Amino acid sequence: TSGRTFITSAVSGRLLGVDRAYLLGHETLYREAVRALGSRYLDTYRGRLHAWADSYRSNQWPKGTPLYLLNGYFRMLLATGNLARLTTCATDQARHDRMLDLSGGDVAAFNEIATVQSLLLDQTEPDLLALARLALHDNDLFDRNYHIPPQLPAVWAALGQPERAENLARSLRVDHRDSALVSAIRALLDAGRYRRAEAMVQVITDTYWQVAALTDVAITLEAAGMQDRVNQVAARAEMLARSLAD
């Protein structure tokens, strides 16, 4: 019976480690569980999670910190609208240092900051002190990524760590980000990791660089004799290229 109710899942998000998690097997089961437990019980259990997170925060998020506390916990706070704790997480330098250690980049930290800034700005009376703290922390993260060479993500890709390569590339200054992703994609193609290279194209934001990356993928697939996929990728590259105004 429990095998039909629960499933296990690898929980990693943008972090490179993997924890096993038990999840309810269907959205309807989740909604029914929330209804049956009620807010009083759920608040009690969330309080235990808060105490668990606080124990790791007081120890500066040491090595071995459960991935849930660096990933899923923030999403739980977001779902429950706990703005005070969201702000604490998004301005915690030690926590973001540990996330950098696990993911290879600061993209998740930047996303947390942007999310909390948006929530604060939606308030009738935004907390200006909290916004100032978020802005300062965002600036610190920007500074530590500013001088990273855009070729470095390609090195991680060549070393067989595409997730770290992607996370690092997406943490770079905006004018280096897409070119760094293209370089990483080329390194993956050289290593024969065609599907992973195609997947990385999805995170490129500039259409010109997307076309360049897809063209590289198509050329490599053609050389490998994978004609069916060549046609699909080339057609997609052409469609995007025709959408360019310049």
Side-chain angles (χ1 to χ4, degrees), residues 6 10 32 61 87 91 99 115 149 156 188 194 240:
F6 296 97
E32 283 300 306
W61 308 99
T87 303
T91 54
M99 290 165 62
T115 297
W156 282 117
L188 289 172
Y194 308 134
L240 287 172

Side-chain angles (χ1 to χ4, degrees), residues 79-196:
T80 56
N82 194 325
L83 197 50
R85 283 187 172 271
L86 283 167
T87 303
T88 299
C89 284
T91 54
D92 191 324
Q93 182 69 56
R95 180 172 171 276
H96 284 164
D97 287 346
R98 180 59 58 215
M99 290 165 62
L100 171 64
D101 183 50
L102 289 170
S103 71
D106 282 318
V107 61
F110 281 124
N111 288 340
E112 286 187 355
I113 292 170
T115 297
V116 180
Q117 285 174 326
S118 179
L119 290 172
L120 286 169
L121 289 171
D122 283 342
Q123 302 296 302
T124 305
E125 295 185 12
D127 185 337
L128 298 182
L129 179 59
L131 285 167
R133 290 173 57 209
L134 287 161
L136 285 169
H137 186 45
D138 184 77
N139 191 66
D140 287 342
L141 294 179
F142 177 84
D143 283 346
R144 78 176 179 187
N145 287 282
Y146 187 82
H147 295 294
I148 292 176
Q151 300 86 359
L152 188 56
V155 177
W156 282 117
L159 291 171
Q161 298 199 42
E163 288 80 13
R164 186 174 289 273
E166 181 181 323
N167 289 337
L168 179 59
R170 295 178 66 198
S171 303
L172 302 182
R173 48 195 271 196
V174 174
D175 55 334
H176 285 172
R177 200 169 295 162
D178 287 337
S179 62
L181 285 166
V182 172
S183 296
I185 287 166
R186 288 170 179 162
L188 289 172
L189 293 171
D190 289 342
R193 302 193 63 177
Y194 308 134
R195 290 196 180 279
R196 188 64 183 84

